Amino acid sequence: MNKVLLIRYGEIALKGKNRPFFEKRLDKNIKTALRGLEPFKLVFQRGRFFLQIAGEKFHAAQERLRKVFGIVSISPSSTVSPGLPDICIEALALLEKSFRPGISFKVETRRVNKRFPLTSPQISSHVGAFILKSGLDIKVDVHQPEILIQIEVRDQEAYLFSQRIPGPGGLPVGVTGKGLLLLSGGIDSPVAGYMALKRGITLEAIHFHSPPFTGEAAINKAVDLGRVLASYGGRIRLHLVPFTDIQTQIRIHCPEPMTITLMRRSMFRIAERLAAQRGIEVLFTGESLGQVASQTLENLVGIDKVTTMPILRPLIGFDKAEIIDISREIGTYPVSILPFEDCCTLFVPKHPVTRPKADELDRAEEKLPLDELLTSCLERIETRTIYP
Ligand code: ATP
Ligand code: MG
């Protein structure tokens, strides 16, 4: 008997010619996620991946696979030769692991090898009868069994398991395209990044900081958030932009209530230019409609006006409480709530505009040497590659 992890992915949604592309990418992403746990063997066979890995690394591998998008569920399985005697013995052993007196069970079989002499229901009832004859205090319940013994009979081997650990679902990172995430140190943008990754986007991140007003702590926070995202996405390139000059110029030359909106406009301009340089076609942000004064519909429109690149806002329809729930689940929350100086909180106006007119924003920016400021920012970007 050998142990393997049986890995299922969303095959149903994947008929047609995208499928091999998807499977190849998933294969690569699984191997990346398991880096450091070598040696292991990943075998692909008719709609499933099978991972062979040493017993002591089994659990660690399982935990990492739970973060690989595209995976729907994982089952720790035993493998035996595909003959009834071995299957029966292993099924009983599997049941004994979770045995309590009086417990109910059911056997379910999926026969992938159609040349196997018995049908799936025949295999199930044969194995069920064998277990009942063992003398253990157990009963069959086909509707709500406490233990479900599942058997997959394939050509070379039969797989037995009783657990289905949910994966994250979604699409393998890398199958849909590239995006640039505006990553602050807050709660929302890391969640937006997670959503982008979940839909198969290869993500890079851009973070604006304001030296010397914001210190190393602010950068470290963005790096730490990037690291959590990298545990889902493989690795993340993080671009750090010194933003102080632009902020200072806005502060000096523009009406105070517009500060945040104008800062945001310049962030988007820089993000768009960087994205273009890197062959990236969309921006992602953590904005959610109406959450704060700077995220009114008018402000979002006023910000959108300055770029031509599509801006995707995966959190647009979420309540803050829902976003917090996700951030807890995905592991970004504890980092996001660490105290730090955000580059924007330094310059928060007392009464931010909520209904700015686009032409007023344009006019406010006329006094700024924008081109110069943007170019200088872009030239001073520091890029780091972050691994999980
Ligand atoms: P978050 O929790 O993501 O900071 P928020 O609700 O605090 O969001 P804002 O601070 O208004 O909202 O920021 C709106 C969005 O602008 C953020 O989600 C993020 O995408 C982007 N953003 C804000 N500050 C920065 C920054 N310093 N660097 C990069 N992107 C930023
Ligand atoms: Mg914020």
Side-chain angles (χ1 to χ4, degrees), residues 79-91 113 116-118 123 126-127 151-160:
T79 64
V80 295
S81 67
L84 269 184
D86 282 358
I87 292 176
C88 285
I89 291 166
E90 189 52 38
N113 171 13
F116 195 82
L118 302 182
I123 299 169
H126 190 100
V127 174
I151 305 170
E152 273 196 30
V153 182
R154 293 182 170 248
D155 299 346
Q156 309 296 328
E157 266 155 340
Y159 297 83
L160 288 91

Side-chain angles (χ1 to χ4, degrees), residues 239 251 280 304 384 387:
H239 307 277
R251 194 57 191 269
I280 296 173
D304 272 12
R384 300 189 192 175
Y387 294 91

Side-chain angles (χ1 to χ4, degrees), residues 24 36-37 47 86 90 141 187 193 259-260 277 320 340 343 358 388:
K24 236 172 135 180
L37 295 179
D86 282 358
E90 189 52 38
D141 182 343
I187 292 171
T259 321
I260 295 279
Q277 283 172 12
K320 192 73 185 188
F340 81 122
C343 82

Side-chain angles (χ1 to χ4, degrees), residues 188-241:
D188 302 331
S189 44
V191 174
Y194 171 88
M195 301 288 221
L197 291 167
K198 185 173 184 197
R199 297 315 299 165
I201 294 284
T202 301
L203 210 58
E204 297 194 9
I206 181 170
H207 175 73
F208 297 87
H209 63 115
S210 318
F213 305 112
T214 63
E216 204 56 28
I219 293 179
N220 288 341
K221 201 173 173 188
V223 169
D224 288 345
L225 288 170
R227 188 164 292 125
V228 180
L229 291 178
S231 71
Y232 296 92
R235 70 167 183 196
I236 298 267
R237 230 181 277 271
L238 173 66
H239 307 277
L240 298 165
V241 189

Side-chain angles (χ1 to χ4, degrees), residues 315-374:
L315 307 185
I316 201 73
F318 283 104
D319 294 339
K320 192 73 185 188
E322 293 171 310
I323 299 170
I324 290 174
D325 283 349
I326 303 173
S327 77
R328 284 212 170 94
E329 225 168 90
I330 66 176
T332 52
Y333 188 73
V335 186
S336 291
I337 58 170
L338 294 174
F340 81 122
E341 333 81 36
D342 173 57
C343 82
C344 295
T345 49
L346 294 173
F347 297 87
V348 176
K350 279 201 201 68
H351 303 288
V353 281
T354 52
R355 297 174 169 270
K357 299 236 160 41
D359 57 331
E360 286 167 9
L361 295 169
D362 291 340
R363 224 172 310 125
E365 281 173 341
E366 276 168 10
K367 291 206 190 100
L368 301 174
L370 258 186
D371 259 337
E372 230 171 86
L373 287 168
L374 298 175

Side-chain angles (χ1 to χ4, degrees), residues 70 81-82 84 124 171 205 223 236 247 297-298 302 312-313 323 379:
S81 67
L84 269 184
S124 296
L171 298 170
V223 169
I236 298 267
Q247 289 176 295
L297 196 57
E298 289 83 352
L312 299 183
R313 300 178 165 97
I323 299 170
E379 279 168 357

